[in-house]
Amino acid sequence: MDTIKRVGDFIGGHMPFIAPICVALGVLLPQVFGRITWLVPYLFAIITFQGSLNSTVRQVVSTFRHPRELLSILAVTIVAMPVLARLVGGLVFSDSEIVCGIVIEYSIPVAVVSFMWIDIFHGNASLGLAAILISTVLAPVTVPITLQLLMGASVHIDALSMIRDLALMVALPALAGVAVNELTDGWGHEKLSGNLSPFCRLFLLLVITCNSTGMSSYVLSLDAVVLESAAFILIFASCGFLLGALIARMLGTSIGDFYTITFCVGLRNISSGSVIANEFFPGSAIIPVMMGTLFQQILAAIAGSILRRLTGPEHDQARRRVAHARQLMRNKRDS
């Protein structure tokens, strides 16, 4: 077990170097990793369960009772980012399908995988969980309205399918994780979460690799449109993480909320976007959507690493406070 924990720590500390390798493997070997993409929803479920072990009912309730940070995430991801995508994309590209793909990319819900990044960088799991749940539940309403207002396009979201995926990957595992933590008086957080964490980090690498297989045909047959779309998404996606960090700082949030807001604003559920683009906008609209797969996880790793360096003393102080509080709780329970 010590070995797997060391592997997990190594992964957590070297994601800026490991994530690009995973993306490259998925792009270069789609015939290998494409066969196991069916595992991804189940891996997401395990990742969500492990992250939810770090939450209590009181923390979840507090997130909704004091929703400033949650509402900020939703306002930026549902309103601000799609509008910026439409304005900037329209200035750069004359192809309306490409612009539509960019708007789709930034109208879709917060990515489930953001939960894993929040765990790696010790963010607020309850806030991240709430942002993923609410943005996904609202998506069948918000995405069609956004595309209608910004692109004049009519789409119909398969709400039943989205809710089913939400239940499998997020809602049920999250409820199970919080319940285990509550019913075991913190054992789920103190023991089980730590034991599962290294495995979940390995699962994250597999998820990144499998999701990258969808980019293979585009990357291996590069043309001017693909290159221009890739460059745009790289820059715009980077700005997404920067915008999340700036908003968190403007709000004066705790260090845990700071990381959570950054990842929730920066990461999007691209699988939902690819379904919408393929079904309603056949053609080049899929290109900018899929480019997010190429860059999102790499940018998340780089952003987390940079922010950890910039907030090092603050981050360490917060971790010490949390560790002290947990020790007090253990002493109280044992006495």
Side-chain angles (χ1 to χ4, degrees):
M1 194 64 198
D2 289 341
T3 301
I4 192 66
K5 286 184 177 180
R6 285 196 294 270
V7 170
D9 291 340
F10 178 84
I11 292 171
H14 297 83
M15 282 302 292
F17 307 101
I18 297 173
I21 295 173
C22 294
V23 171
L25 287 173
V27 168
L28 296 175
L29 300 172
Q31 69 279 9
V32 175
F33 294 101
R35 297 176 180 176
I36 57 174
T37 54
W38 61 271
L39 283 172
V40 169
Y42 302 100
L43 297 179
F44 271 135
I46 297 171
I47 289 170
T48 304
F49 172 75
Q50 183 270 327
S52 299
L53 289 168
N54 299 313
S55 298
T56 64
V57 172
R58 179 180 296 180
Q59 290 171 331
V60 174
V61 170
S62 177
T63 298
F64 289 98
R65 288 184 62 187
H66 307 284
R68 184 186 63 161
E69 287 75 16
L70 175 60
L71 292 176
S72 298
I73 292 172
L74 296 176
V76 175
T77 56
I78 293 175
V79 180
M81 291 294 284
V83 171
L84 285 173
R86 176 65 180 91
L87 292 175
V88 181
L91 291 174
V92 176
F93 296 98
S94 58
D95 186 337
S96 61
E97 288 189 351
I98 293 292
V99 177
C100 189
I102 294 169
V103 174
I104 291 172
E105 168 79 357
Y106 289 96
S107 302
I108 50 182
V110 175
V112 177
V113 75
S114 62
F115 208 56
M116 188 68 230
W117 289 105
I118 291 167
D119 178 67
I120 289 175
F121 289 94
H122 308 285
N124 183 340
S126 300
L127 175 60
L129 177 62
I132 295 167
L133 286 170
I134 300 300
S135 67
T136 305
V137 168
L138 292 177
V141 175
T142 58
V143 174
I145 290 175
T146 299
L147 292 176
Q148 180 66 51
L149 292 176
L150 297 181
M151 299 302 303
S154 298
V155 301
H156 172 72
I157 305 298
D158 186 351
L160 184 61
S161 175
M162 187 169 284
I163 291 172
R164 185 180 62 246
D165 292 342
L166 174 68
L168 172 64
M169 293 189 292
V170 183
L172 295 178
L175 289 173
V178 174
V180 168
N181 193 34
E182 289 286 342
L183 295 174
T184 59
D185 293 325
W187 172 86
H189 167 70
E190 296 170 11
K191 297 293 183 181
L192 185 57
S193 177
N195 290 334
L196 288 177
S197 179
F199 295 100
C200 287
R201 294 183 182 187
L202 289 170
F203 294 159
L204 175 61
L205 302 187
L206 190 57
V207 167
I208 294 172
T209 306
C210 289
N211 284 345
S212 300
T213 59
M215 279 304 304
S216 182
S217 60
Y218 298 99
V219 174
L220 298 180
S221 59
L222 288 176
D223 57 28
V225 174
V226 172
L227 287 172
E228 290 171 3
S229 299
F232 180 89
I233 292 298
L234 174 61
I235 295 171
F236 199 81
S238 301
C239 292
F241 288 97
L242 178 60
L243 179 61
L246 290 175
I247 289 171
R249 278 307 188 206
M250 289 173 61
L251 292 174
T253 65
S254 66
I255 191 65
D257 288 351
F258 173 74
Y259 279 101
T260 300
I261 293 173
T262 300
F263 288 123
C264 286
V265 171
L267 292 164
R268 296 306 179 92
N269 187 349
I270 294 175
S271 60
S272 298
S274 63
V275 170
I276 296 169
N278 270 321
E279 185 172 352
F280 297 99
F281 308 96
S284 54
I286 190 64
I287 296 175
V289 175
M290 294 306 295
M291 283 300 159
T293 304
L294 194 63
F295 298 121
Q296 271 201 150
Q297 306 307 321
I298 297 173
L299 290 174
I302 294 172
S305 179
I306 292 173
L307 294 177
R308 183 154 54 187
R309 292 177 184 176
L310 293 176
T311 62
E314 186 179 359
H315 189 255
D316 292 340
Q317 186 178 21
R319 290 184 65 183
R320 284 195 295 269
R321 285 199 301 267
V322 171
H324 179 65
R326 290 173 184 165
Q327 186 60 51
L328 290 177
M329 290 176 63
R330 283 194 294 268
N331 293 342
K332 183 178 180 180
R333 189 173 63 249
D334 295 339
S335 61

